[in-house]
Amino acid sequence: MAEMILTSEKPSNSSSLNPPSRIICHVRCQKQFSQYTCPRCNSRYCSLHCYKSHSLRCTESFMRENVVEELQQMQSNDETKRKMLDILKRFHSEEETESMDEDYSTVSEEIIQRILSGDQVDFDDLSAAEKKQFQRALASGELSKMIEPWDPWWLKPCARTISLSQEGTQLIQALDKQEASVLPQEDLESNQASEIPPGPESPLLPISKLSSTEPSPLLAVHLVDILYSYCFALRLYNGEWQSDTIGSAMVVLSVSSVLGEGRQPETVLEALSHCLEQICSPAYRHMGGLQLGLVLVEDVISLLSLGGPALVCSLCDLQRLIQTGERELKSEKPKKYTRVEIRSKLKLAGRKIYFMMCWVHEQPGEAWSSLAAILGAEKSSAVDYYGGSKQAVKTNNKGETRGKVLVEET
């Protein structure tokens, strides 16, 4: 018997006596046999496409009811909320740990152990990945945040009260650890707070015993040159020249024409011009250029304003810097510097500094205020001139300055 095809939407009953009937889809196509029934209106349809088009009211209400029912089942109690918060906190903690592991994953165990043991780690000791990470931190300024800004000792109030003996030695000797341990707490804190470099431990010799001739009248000009290089070295190394004694000594020689090149500038302008040229050169321009150069002029003026004892202490500190660099150079492999030539320069520089120290000790106090005034006038003149023009300073083979302009940043 042939199979019947019904077009009625009423469901049919099939049995063994009555063969099953098949109903055509009445939703849209009216061609395919219906295989499904709408759960809301019981309409028969053949496919998802016909179901979606048979009644917008049916489909939207059906979906809405399902969503509402699902949301009602998801309503959380306090216990569920607490568990979810614990999961989020644990996930956040693991994420931070993974981030830290990524940040430090490029640092080898060997480098970490060397740092923890207090050994010095050079840039050349790092791997390629470690160098890249270090340079990235340096460029972003991340490393600078870890360094506490240094305040020059000559700008502190205690620098105004420096006093030395008649022989030029410091009146207060440094205490050893055993003596310092019995000091009252207030005195100990006061002693630790003072960052003034100590003066000479031995009496300074008279100039007459160091030279048979009269001192040059240009020593005051040379003092400006030497003090400028000292201030720059301390600012460059954030007050800790001991962290790189050879490097700090080389900085002094590169900035000071008197100590590094054996020049004898004849005017304050000439001495100042050379120093500013070095600060604005490609080697040091990144440190601040002309702006830093003028700050260093103010540093020298501040030292001169403090008087003879402060000048002796600064020169004594510079002498220690040079001598320590010379000693370190003896054990340094000649991979960076020509040891014989540099050691010879450092030894000669140390002698010049000591001679200058002895000469400064014998000068009257009013000499320094006059020199500070001259230096201040040159600085003011330079600042005024830079407002309208920036021309490079020109010097001849003798190191003499030609023209009014001091320096130009290139």
Side-chain angles (χ1 to χ4, degrees), residues 22-41:
R22 304 190 67 177
I23 302 175
I24 294 295
C25 174
H26 275 237
V27 173
R28 180 177 179 179
C29 66
Q30 298 182 355
K31 294 179 181 180
Q32 302 294 333
F33 292 115
S34 61
Q35 301 180 28
Y36 311 100
T37 303
C38 174
R40 294 192 60 81
C41 64

Side-chain angles (χ1 to χ4, degrees), residues 17-288:
L17 298 178
N18 298 319
S21 60
R22 304 190 67 177
I23 302 175
I24 294 295
C25 174
H26 275 237
V27 173
R28 180 177 179 179
C29 66
Q30 298 182 355
K31 294 179 181 180
Q32 302 294 333
F33 292 115
S34 61
Q35 301 180 28
Y36 311 100
T37 303
C38 174
R40 294 192 60 81
C41 64
N42 294 324
S43 297
R44 302 296 294 270
Y45 61 94
C46 65
S47 63
L48 179 62
H49 184 71
C50 287
Y51 169 74
K52 289 182 177 181
S53 61
H54 90 282
S55 174
L56 187 61
R57 179 175 55 84
C58 282
T59 55
E60 285 188 351
S61 60
F62 177 72
M63 293 297 295
R64 182 170 59 253
E65 289 177 1
N66 278 271
V67 171
V68 170
E69 182 180 357
E70 186 70 20
L71 289 175
Q72 288 175 347
Q73 294 178 359
M74 292 177 62
Q75 292 296 325
S76 59
N77 52 26
D78 292 340
E79 181 66 18
T80 306
K81 292 180 179 179
R82 186 185 63 78
K83 290 181 179 179
M84 181 57 67
L85 285 175
D86 291 341
I87 293 174
L88 291 174
K89 288 180 180 178
R90 185 167 61 253
F91 175 77
H92 181 67
S93 177
E94 291 175 356
E95 193 177 45
E96 285 185 341
T97 303
E98 292 176 358
S99 177
M100 291 178 63
D101 292 341
E102 290 178 359
D103 291 341
Y104 294 96
S105 59
T106 58
V107 181
S108 64
E109 184 67 25
E110 178 185 358
I111 296 296
I112 294 177
Q113 291 300 325
R114 288 180 60 181
I115 295 175
L116 293 177
S117 62
D119 293 343
Q120 182 176 348
V121 177
D122 295 330
F123 185 75
D124 295 336
D125 298 331
L126 303 179
S127 64
E130 290 167 345
K131 290 179 179 179
K132 185 177 180 180
Q133 182 182 358
F134 177 82
Q135 291 172 337
R136 183 166 57 248
L138 185 64
S140 65
E142 182 180 350
L143 294 182
S144 62
K145 298 178 183 178
M146 303 170 62
I147 302 176
E148 183 179 355
W150 175 70
D151 295 324
W153 63 263
W154 52 84
L155 299 180
K156 297 186 176 182
C158 54
R160 303 171 187 167
T161 60
I162 300 176
S163 59
L164 301 175
S165 67
Q166 292 184 353
E167 293 79 15
T169 57
Q170 54 185 354
L171 294 176
I172 302 177
Q173 298 294 329
L175 299 178
D176 57 27
K177 295 182 179 179
Q178 183 176 1
E179 292 175 328
S181 62
V182 298
L183 281 176
Q185 184 63 27
E186 294 181 359
D187 293 342
L188 184 59
E189 292 178 355
S190 177
N191 182 58
Q192 293 175 347
S194 176
E195 299 180 4
I196 307 300
E201 297 180 0
S202 304
L204 296 176
L205 296 176
I207 290 295
S208 58
K209 291 187 177 181
L210 298 176
S211 176
S212 58
T213 60
E214 288 292 326
S216 171
L218 300 177
L219 287 181
V221 175
H222 300 174
L223 178 63
V224 171
D225 172 278
I226 294 174
L227 291 177
Y228 192 100
S229 65
Y230 169 72
C231 294
F232 176 61
L234 262 64
R235 282 195 177 272
L236 182 63
Y237 287 93
N238 210 39
E240 298 180 357
W241 57 261
Q242 298 87 346
S243 62
D244 184 6
T245 54
I246 297 179
S248 56
M250 295 300 297
V251 167
V252 171
L253 293 184
S254 65
V255 174
S256 171
S257 64
V258 175
L259 300 179
E261 303 177 20
R263 291 187 183 182
Q264 296 185 2
E266 298 181 358
T267 64
V268 173
L269 174 62
E270 183 182 341
L272 193 57
S273 298
H274 179 272
C275 292
L276 286 173
E277 276 189 326
Q278 304 311 308
I279 300 303
C280 295
S281 67
Y284 302 120
R285 185 173 52 207
H286 64 283
M287 298 302 301

